Amino acid sequence: SRAFTEVRDMARELLNRRDLRIADLPQAMRTRADNGVVTLVEYLAVQIGDSFPHRAAFVPEVSATYHIGDTGWHETSALVDGVVTMQQEAPAEGGLKEVAQSQAAKLQEEFQGLQAKVRDLCLRFGEDVEQDAAQMFSAVAQFAQQFEVAYRGRQQISNR
């Protein structure tokens, strides 16, 4: 999302790190201001709330990553492998093997398409295409969730 890219770029500027990657977000989220109280995420929420509210649009755009996380991605990969194994062991009678082969091939193709989209996403954002997709989704989800909490808190203070 364009808004997420803009927020990530703001974080890069604040941390004075041109090489800030999605995989670095969990560490960056723990970064605190000199006063030791305000986190990077809270500071971004204030800056975006005050000057760039349209950038907060990235939260709903990336909310699907909340449910992927480490286990979801790895479980999907294991499921694909399990279906492939089942189709290889399916009995030949009654056309069951052909149906199983067709379904396994379709599932493999869809998962490979999803992997290609993740690679494209990595390239688009300048990320390492070899990084673990589950960790990448988990980092985005954690950042977005913390940002959402901080941003809502900022909005509540502003509305008072």
Side-chain angles (χ1 to χ4, degrees):
S1 101
R2 170 177 242 135
F4 178 74
T5 303
E6 292 172 350
V7 170
R8 187 192 61 178
D9 290 346
M10 287 178 72
R12 281 180 175 164
E13 289 174 24
L14 290 169
L15 294 172
N16 198 22
R17 286 194 51 197
R18 299 178 93 183
D19 64 338
L20 181 69
R21 305 275 186 216
I22 289 176
D24 300 327
L25 286 176
Q27 179 184 351
M29 289 184 302
R30 292 188 294 272
T31 302
R32 294 191 175 273
D34 290 340
N35 66 12
V37 177
V38 178
T39 66
L40 171 69
V41 176
E42 292 165 338
Y43 182 78
L44 284 171
V46 169
Q47 293 302 306
I48 289 169
D50 290 349
S51 305
F52 310 100
H54 66 280
R55 290 185 180 169
F58 86 91
V59 174
E61 292 173 357
V62 300
S63 65
T65 63
Y66 294 6
H67 307 293
I68 296 173
D70 291 340
T71 55
W73 185 262
H74 294 297
E75 285 175 357
T76 302
S77 179
L79 176 65
V80 171
D81 293 342
V83 169
V84 170
T85 301
M86 287 173 43
Q87 68 87 19
Q88 291 169 346
E89 298 171 357
E93 61 265 357
L96 185 58
K97 188 158 191 90
E98 290 79 21
V99 171
Q101 285 174 333
S102 171
Q103 293 298 318
K106 181 179 177 185
L107 187 58
Q108 273 184 309
E109 183 180 316
E110 288 177 4
F111 189 65
Q112 288 168 350
L114 186 57
Q115 288 173 318
K117 287 179 181 180
V118 169
R119 278 191 301 279
D120 291 345
L121 182 69
C122 288
L123 290 171
R124 180 174 166 216
F125 284 105
E127 300 290 329
D128 178 11
V129 295
E130 298 301 320
Q131 73 178 303
D132 186 319
Q135 289 176 345
M136 183 179 72
F137 288 128
S138 181
V140 170
Q142 289 172 23
F143 180 81
Q145 288 170 331
Q146 282 191 15
F147 178 86
E148 185 175 25
V149 168
Y151 189 72
R152 284 187 181 164
R154 173 69 181 158
Q155 285 179 317
Q156 287 175 347
I157 290 170
S158 296
N159 292 336
R160 288 182 187 166

